[in-house]
């Protein structure tokens, strides 16, 4: 039985240990730290005197992780971030119980080998559960901390960010075994060796994307614009001025950031004409992003665009504009940011608008992804995403399967300008590029904007949050299909399968342990014959 001071000490240690992995993500970006970041938390969990205590410390550590990785949401959500972290922290309870069960002993027998498989699988289960859009989406996945490590990015092309998360969690598990279980050193070293061999084999033998041609893409980042009734017009004018400076540089495409146009182009034909004239001046189509209320009479099949729903309301839409005006290609953002763009169960949680910068009105989601043809380049098709949609591996995979040769994420992190959010968001594009084998452009209003090649490598220099500029990038295009695009989230399926087998085996053992042993049969009496 723990004393009261010990209980409080362990609770505080669990919150702190759960927050440690945040240092592996941008902005600190200590990618190497991810391979030991879970060790203090796991050491605490394995020493929990009861399963109930391990569940509590798993919950507290999970809440600490959410608070640390998403601390930059405080200016928007204020105190609402605390109950959100407490809710999401519950997702780590199964992992915590498994850590105590499999790592709590001396590692003898097959427990160490089982731990090296099951503990990473349980970690992936928590990541999968919180990746649902309604819970905030797949932000801060452990594998995402490795966005700048080329051999690990190659692993992402095989099994997505999920395979990378499994590998990082397995290394942490092996380190714990090396520290606390001398009897398990052989399987622990074998596990570390297996992770290294897998990474090396993938690096040496998995084909790299086959480069085929290139594209000159310009990213326009207007920078901060002071809030005010005319801020949308001033932002548009800044983007217009910077784009005009690209004349004579012969881009194939110009990309503006999220919410770069603050009025629907059917309601403001003057803006549509200015964009068309700008496209003609620079000699390239513009991919802008419209954040505005769509008139009720707007028809998704007209020049306003195609690919979205026709319901009235506020949309965030990627719209392609050429010298003749909008081309008809439009993508309406499908996955909206909880609280930022809509409030889940608004009748119950609408009070969030009074304590933070939650959406006063729900935006309308689009109903399908869109792959756009690039005018003047019949060999290139564009796959647009908006804002935190770049965090979802399945969305970029779907676009690649549908023939997109260039992925584009239009984003705006202006509300979090001096936090870790811009760097975290920009890093996600490297993973999506590596997974899909397609280059990706991450264009923002206020930075960080960045462009990545088809292997996830950064192209040129990123545009920092202090920049107000337009930059031109030579983007290599690629052919072929990665294993991740072909086979999808197979590491998730494998993790769920091994956990199901473990649970079934545990259930059988429990049933047998609870069944009374049969009474011994008495020997048959022998009859004496005289």
């Amino acid at each position: 039985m723990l004393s009261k001071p010990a209980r409080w000490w362990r609770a505080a240690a669990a919150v702190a240990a759960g927050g440690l992995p945040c240092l592996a993500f941008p902005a600190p970006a200590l990618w190497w730290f991810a391979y030991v970041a879970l060790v203090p938390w796991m050491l605490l969990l394995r020493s929990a005197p009861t399963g109930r205590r391990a569940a509590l410390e798993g919950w507290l550590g999970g809440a600490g992780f959410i608070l640390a990785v998403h601390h930059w949401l405080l200016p928007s959500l204020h105190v609402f971030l605390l109950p959100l972290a407490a809710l999401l922290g519950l997702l780590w309870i199964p992992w915590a119980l498994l850590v105590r069960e499999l790592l709590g002993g001396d590692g003898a027998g097959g427990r160490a080998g089982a731990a090296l498989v099951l503990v990473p699988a349980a970690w992936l289960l928590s990541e999968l559960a919180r990746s649902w859009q309604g819970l905030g989406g797949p932000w801060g996945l452990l594998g995402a901390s490795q966005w700048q490590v080329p051999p690990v990015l190659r692993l992402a092309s095989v099994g997505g960010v999920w395979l990378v998360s499994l590998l990082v969690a397995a290394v942490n598990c092996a380190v714990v075994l090396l520290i606390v279980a001398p009897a398990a050193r052989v399987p622990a070293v074998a596990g570390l060796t297996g992770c290294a061999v897998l990474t090396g084999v993938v690096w040496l033998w998995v084909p790299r994307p086959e480069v085929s041609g290139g594209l000159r893409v310009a990213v326009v980042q207007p920078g901060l614009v002071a809030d005010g009734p005319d801020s949308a017009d001033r932002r548009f004018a800044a983007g217009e001025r910077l784009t005009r400076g690209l004349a004579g540089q012969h881009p194939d495409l110009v990309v503006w950031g999220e919410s770069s146009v603050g009025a629907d182009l059917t309601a403001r034909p003057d803006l549509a004409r200015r964009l068309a004239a700008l496209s003609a001046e620079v000699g390239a189509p513009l991919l802008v992003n419209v954040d505005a209320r769509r008139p009720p009479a707007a028809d998704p099949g007209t020049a306003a665009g195609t690919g979205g729903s026709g319901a009235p309301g506020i949309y965030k839409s990627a719209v392609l504009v050429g010298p003749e005006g909008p081309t008809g290609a439009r993508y309406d953002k499908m996955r909206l940011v909880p609280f930022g763009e809509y409030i889940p169960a608004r009748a119950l949680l609408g009070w969030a608008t009074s304590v933070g910068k939650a959406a006063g009105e729900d935006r309308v989601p689009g109903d399908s992804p869109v792959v756009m043809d690039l005018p003047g380049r019949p060999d290139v098709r564009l796959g647009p995403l908006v804002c935190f949609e770049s965090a979802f591996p399945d969305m970029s995979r779907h676009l690649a399967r549908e023939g997109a040769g260039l992925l584009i994420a239009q984003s705006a992190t202006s509300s979090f300008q001096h936090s870790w959010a811009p760097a975290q968001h920009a890093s996600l594009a490297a993973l999506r590029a590596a997974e899909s084998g397609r280059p990706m452009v991450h264009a923002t209003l206020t930075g960080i904007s960045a462009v990545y090649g088809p292997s996830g490598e950064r192209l040129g220099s990123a545009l920092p949050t202090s920049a107000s500029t337009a930059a031109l990038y030579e983007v290599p295009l690629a052919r072929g299909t990665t294993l991740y695009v072909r086979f999808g989230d197979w590491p998730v399926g494998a993790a769920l399968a091994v956990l199901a087998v473990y649970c079934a085996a545990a259930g059988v053992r429990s049933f047998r342990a609870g069944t009374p042993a049969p009474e011994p049969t008495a020997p048959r009496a022998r009859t004496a014959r005289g």
Side-chain angles (χ1 to χ4, degrees):
M1 178 68 68
L2 292 173
S3 65
K4 189 173 181 180
R7 289 198 298 270
W8 282 106
W9 177 88
R10 288 182 65 97
V15 174
L20 283 178
C22 76
L23 299 176
F25 296 90
L30 305 177
W31 62 267
W32 51 268
F33 183 63
Y35 295 94
V36 294
L38 301 180
V39 170
W41 190 7
M42 295 168 74
L43 291 174
L44 187 70
L45 293 172
R46 72 174 297 274
S47 67
T50 64
R52 186 174 181 178
R53 186 71 203 184
L56 173 64
E57 292 169 359
W59 172 47
L60 292 173
F65 177 84
I66 295 298
L67 287 172
V69 174
H70 297 82
H71 70 274
W72 43 268
L73 285 172
L74 277 170
S76 294
L77 294 184
H78 295 293
V79 295
F80 197 76
L81 182 59
L82 297 177
L84 180 63
L87 172 65
L88 295 179
L90 296 171
L91 299 175
W92 274 272
I93 289 179
W95 175 76
L97 292 173
L98 207 56
V99 169
R100 179 180 180 272
E101 174 69 21
L102 297 177
L103 297 177
D106 59 4
R111 292 169 62 87
L116 288 169
V117 174
L118 292 168
V119 170
W123 178 272
L124 197 65
L125 180 64
S126 69
E127 292 199 335
L128 178 66
R130 70 185 179 88
S131 293
W132 178 50
Q133 175 199 344
L135 293 179
W139 195 287
L141 302 184
L142 194 60
S145 65
Q146 306 302 295
W147 64 277
Q148 55 186 327
V149 185
V152 183
L153 286 174
R154 190 68 52 77
L155 278 176
S157 74
V158 174
V161 67
W162 312 111
L163 181 58
V164 181
S165 284
L166 279 175
L167 181 139
V168 175
V171 171
N172 277 271
C173 187
V175 172
V176 170
L177 288 171
L178 287 174
I179 293 173
V180 302
R185 285 176 181 169
V186 171
V189 171
L192 291 173
T193 304
C195 290
V197 169
L198 173 63
T199 304
V201 167
V202 168
W203 175 256
L204 293 174
W205 296 105
V206 171
R208 290 166 170 78
E210 182 182 352
V211 175
S212 176
L215 199 68
R216 293 170 61 84
V217 180
V219 174
V220 175
Q221 181 178 297
L224 279 176
V225 172
D227 290 336
D230 63 341
S231 58
D233 290 336
R234 287 185 283 113
R235 183 180 298 113
F236 184 96
E240 192 176 30
R241 172 179 53 81
L242 293 170
T243 303
R244 190 168 287 116
L246 295 168
Q249 298 186 45
H250 308 293
D252 295 304
L253 175 68
V254 179
V255 183
W256 288 18
E258 180 187 11
S259 304
S260 49
V261 179
D264 187 83
L265 296 181
T266 58
R268 289 285 304 274
D270 59 314
L271 295 183
R273 287 193 295 269
R274 287 165 65 180
L275 289 171
L278 198 58
S279 173
E281 186 175 348
V282 300
L286 315 178
L287 186 69
V288 300
N289 190 273
V290 178
D291 183 2
R293 186 177 304 279
R294 188 170 300 163
D299 179 359
T302 66
T306 60
S309 66
I314 302 175
Y315 289 79
K316 283 195 175 181
S317 306
V319 179
L320 193 62
V321 181
E324 304 301 322
T327 64
R330 186 190 72 224
Y331 165 66
D332 295 332
K333 183 179 183 181
M334 296 172 60
R335 296 183 181 173
L336 304 176
V337 179
F339 297 98
E341 294 170 337
Y342 79 102
I343 296 182
R346 181 176 285 272
L348 179 65
L349 301 176
W351 57 269
T353 58
S354 63
V355 297
K357 299 178 182 178
E361 177 183 349
D362 292 350
R363 281 169 168 75
V364 181
D367 54 18
S368 62
V370 174
V371 177
M372 302 176 178
D373 295 322
L374 179 60
R377 289 294 302 266
D379 59 323
V380 181
R381 304 184 74 198
L382 311 177
L385 299 166
V386 182
C387 191
F388 95 139
E389 289 182 330
S390 66
F392 292 86
D394 65 300
M395 296 195 73
S396 52
R397 174 177 177 256
H398 177 85
L399 291 171
R401 287 174 65 91
E402 292 299 312
L406 175 66
L407 302 175
I408 301 172
Q410 296 173 300
S411 176
T413 51
S414 308
S415 301
F416 314 107
Q417 190 73 356
H418 302 293
S419 72
W420 294 359
Q424 286 183 15
H425 201 177
S427 70
L428 296 175
L431 284 159
R432 303 293 86 85
E435 290 168 343
S436 63
R438 298 292 180 265
M440 186 162 188
V441 174
H442 179 80
T444 73
L445 290 180
T446 59
I448 296 172
S449 298
V451 180
Y452 299 93
S455 294
E457 73 280 16
R458 179 180 285 172
L459 303 175
S461 299
L463 304 183
T465 54
S466 60
S468 174
T469 187
L472 189 64
Y473 295 86
E474 299 285 348
V475 180
L477 302 175
R479 295 184 299 185
T481 303
T482 65
L483 293 175
Y484 176 70
V485 170
R486 188 177 304 168
F487 298 110
D489 300 328
W490 63 265
V492 173
L496 293 176
V498 298
L499 289 172
V501 170
Y502 172 77
C503 291
V508 170
R509 288 195 302 269
S510 178
F511 176 78
R512 288 178 175 175
T515 303
E519 293 292 332
T521 303
R524 295 179 62 184
R526 300 181 62 185
T527 303
R529 298 181 183 272

